[in-house]
């Protein structure tokens, strides 16, 4: 047996993401430019949409608060020394969450009356801030308009409650005309109640100035992806935070009639060369991405061919004759927007960044170059 010290060091697989802190800072400034009078919760649920909250923290210091749904992560943030507000977007799931919130100073969304019962069982100190959520038409979480003012009065009567922010979340802010009705429903339900207000997600920050109010809640735009199906992140002035890369580990020369991958889902109609990329669905690349999904090899845009496997996928090398084994591949990032890959695979950029697998190496860059 080899002594431990003489073991060679295992090299990581080529699939890796690089997180750009300058890009995140840029996107946060973009939020400020669009909603200059509003404070901003940076939405960091799901480990910052899969980017890795820990890595991003240094670039989030300009946010006014962080918003998420996971209590263990909120506690971790306090232990890490995050002193600014933290908002729990779905509020407490059980009474112990309310106690934790009071102890470490979390703001809680309140979307159903059980959560008010739990708050009423707290001692009067320390007091905590709440966001009272209206169901303005999404029919996911929130009080009905007819119950909203009653819920507010119940909260206002509690000694454990400090500030009450009035909140709603839009179902259709990414569609033309999509937030008009919800904003009207909110204003109607909130009539006569004191501000602050918090309404806007990324799509509303970009398209609905009437929804900016006191606190905006940007998520996807912070990460440099688009909340809209038909407008690119670049056209919105956003910079991609995640760069997902790997390398070629194989090359094949095909004759007309040769097939590629499982199910022979792609068949060459002429002689062509293809490259095999060390990245598959077990890395978080979408298995449903069909032949033709954009990808870049040696900085040149090309397309995938055939079915995505667990650890590999194939690319057409026709536009990149110089490609060799070892050549760099961009799955998504600066050259291939994640939104384009998502559209090709029938999903949204949110799902792709959230799905990066644990085995993918993670790197962070603090300067402009990656
Ligand atoms: C996730 C979330 C957001 C952020 O939405 P984006 O579309 O990513 O900007 C805002 N508010 C609530 C309540 C959320 O759950």
């Amino acid at each position: 047996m080899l002594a431990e010290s003489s073991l060679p060091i295992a090299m990581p697989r080529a699939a890796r993401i690089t997180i750009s802190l300058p890009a995140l800072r840029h996107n946060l400034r973009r939020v400020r430019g669009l909603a200059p009078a509003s404070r901003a919760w940076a939405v960091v649920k799901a480990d910052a949409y899969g980017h890795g909250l820990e890595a991003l923290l240094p670039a989030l210091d300009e946010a006014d608060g962080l918003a998420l749904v996971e209590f263990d992560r909120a506690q971790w943030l306090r232990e890490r020394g995050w002193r600014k507000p933290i908002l729990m977007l779905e509020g407490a799931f059980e009474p112990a969450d309310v106690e934790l919130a009071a102890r470490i100073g979390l703001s809680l969304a309140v979307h159903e009356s059980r959560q008010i019962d739990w708050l009423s069982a707290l001692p009067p100190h320390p007091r905590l801030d709440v966001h009272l959520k209206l169901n303005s038409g999404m029919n996911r979480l929130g009080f009905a308009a007819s119950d909203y003012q009653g819920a507010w009065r119940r909260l206002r009567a509690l000694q454990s409650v400090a500030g009450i922010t009035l909140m709603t979340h839009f179902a259709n802010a990414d569609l033309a005309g999509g937030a008009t009705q919800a904003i009207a429903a909110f204003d109607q339900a909130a009539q006569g109640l004191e501000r602050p207000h918090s309404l806007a997600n990324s799509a509303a920050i970009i398209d609905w100035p009437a929804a900016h109010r006191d606190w905006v809640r940007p998520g996807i735009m912070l990460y440099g992806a688009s909340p809209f199906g038909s407008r690119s992140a670049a056209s919105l002035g956003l910079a991609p935070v995640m760069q997902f890369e790997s390398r070629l580990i194989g090359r094949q020369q095909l004759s007309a009639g040769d097939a590629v991958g499982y199910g022979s889902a792609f068949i060459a109609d002429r002689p062509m060369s293809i490259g095999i990329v060390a990245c598959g669905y077990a890395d978080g690349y979408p298995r449903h991405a069909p032949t033709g999904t954009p990808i870049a090899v040696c900085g040149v845009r090309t397309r995938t061919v055939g079915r995505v496997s667990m650890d590999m996928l194939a690319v057409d090398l026709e536009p990149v004759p110089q490609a060799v084994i070892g050549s760099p591949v961009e799955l998504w990032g600066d050259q291939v927007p994640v939104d384009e890959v998502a559209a090709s695979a029938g999903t949204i950029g949110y799902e792709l960044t959230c799905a990066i697998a644990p085995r993918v190496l993670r790197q962070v860059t603090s300067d402009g170059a990656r």
Side-chain angles (χ1 to χ4, degrees), residues 43 45 49 89 133 140 167 169 201-202 217-220 350:
V43 179
K45 62 196 179 198
Y49 291 40
L89 290 164
K133 187 162 184 181
R140 217 172 50 174
M167 171 196 191
H169 188 54
N201 58 0
S202 295
R217 304 190 306 269
I220 195 70
Y350 301 67

Side-chain angles (χ1 to χ4, degrees), residues 133-145 167-172 178-187 189 199:
K133 187 162 184 181
L134 174 76
N135 172 9
S136 58
M138 191 179 213
N139 289 310
R140 217 172 50 174
L141 299 181
F143 288 92
M167 171 196 191
T168 196
H169 188 54
F170 299 130
N172 300 312
T180 318
Q181 255 192 333
I183 295 173
F186 175 85
D187 285 335
L199 285 69

Side-chain angles (χ1 to χ4, degrees), residues 202-263:
S202 295
I205 290 166
I206 294 164
D207 269 2
W208 299 96
H212 288 169
R213 311 288 167 98
D214 305 291
W215 281 88
V216 293
R217 304 190 306 269
I220 195 70
M221 69 184 294
L222 287 180
Y223 306 104
S226 174
F228 305 106
S230 54
R231 282 144 80 189
S232 71
S235 76
L236 301 170
L238 302 172
V241 173
M242 180 187 291
Q243 176 89 359
F244 187 17
E245 291 165 301
S246 191
R247 292 190 179 278
L248 292 185
I249 57 168
R251 248 193 97 121
Q252 301 291 342
Q253 194 59 43
L254 306 183
S255 306
D258 285 350
V260 177
Y262 287 119

Side-chain angles (χ1 to χ4, degrees), residues 92-103:
F93 301 98
E94 48 191 306
D97 296 336
V98 178
E99 287 161 27
L100 177 70
R103 187 149 43 84

